[in-house]
């Protein structure tokens, strides 16, 4: 019985160490983003929230600010395309989608 308890403790410690190693590896591999990209994410998210509320002017303003923070961030370009398409501006929507693909040619939402 004592042998089983000792083995269980060793197994638990080993599993704990493996879990810690995995988390350390995941965190090490996580990409840090600069402040401009972080702000671009924020403004993009705010723009999407306004789009969901059908507040077109505010959505556009937030998406524009997102692009001013980081013009290479494809998500606000995609969302701007969605906004333009929803408002009936197909040509502007296409231009926005093409910009998104220019900066991230694997962005499936823009395709």
């Amino acid at each position: 019985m004592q042998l089983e308890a000792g083995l269980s403790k060793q197994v638990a410690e080993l599993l704990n160490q493996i879990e810690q190693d995995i988390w350390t590896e995941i965190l090490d591999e996580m990409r840090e983003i600069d402040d401009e990209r972080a702000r671009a994410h924020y403004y993009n998210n705010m723009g999407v929230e306004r789009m969901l509320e059908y507040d077109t002017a505010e959505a556009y303003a937030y998406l524009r600010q997102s692009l001013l923070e980081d013009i290479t961030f494809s998500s606000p370009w995609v969302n701007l395309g969605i906004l333009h398409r929803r408002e009936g501006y197909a040509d502007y929507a296409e231009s926005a989608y093409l910009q998104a693909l220019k900066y991230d040619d694997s962005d499936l939402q823009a395709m």
Side-chain angles (χ1 to χ4, degrees):
M1 194 62 135
Q2 191 173 15
L3 179 62
E4 287 178 11
L7 284 176
S8 293
K9 183 178 179 183
Q10 286 178 333
V11 169
E13 289 173 359
L14 180 61
L15 290 174
N16 187 36
Q17 184 60 50
I18 290 170
E19 183 179 2
Q20 287 178 0
D21 291 346
I22 290 170
W23 278 111
T24 298
E25 186 176 327
I26 289 170
L27 293 174
D28 286 345
E29 290 179 5
M30 289 180 68
R31 183 172 65 97
E32 287 187 28
I33 61 174
D34 58 28
D35 291 344
E36 289 79 13
R37 178 58 66 100
R39 285 191 299 271
H41 276 271
Y42 170 78
Y43 289 120
N44 180 62
N45 291 343
M46 294 300 291
V48 170
E49 285 184 22
R50 295 308 180 272
M51 284 174 58
L52 293 172
E53 295 171 359
Y54 293 93
D55 187 348
T56 301
E58 284 292 311
Y60 180 81
Y62 276 115
L63 294 172
R64 183 176 181 279
Q65 185 61 42
S66 178
L67 292 169
L68 290 173
E69 294 293 338
D70 185 351
I71 199 166
T72 68
F73 183 31
S74 66
S75 292
W77 284 114
V78 170
N79 291 324
L80 192 58
I82 292 167
L83 184 65
H84 284 314
R85 185 185 60 194
R86 187 172 78 183
E87 294 299 312
Y89 301 108
D91 290 341
Y92 290 131
E94 181 181 7
S95 294
Y97 295 138
L98 291 173
Q99 283 297 112
L101 290 171
K102 174 183 171 182
Y103 295 114
D104 182 358
D105 61 3
S106 65
D107 191 330
L108 297 178
Q109 293 179 342
M111 291 182 185

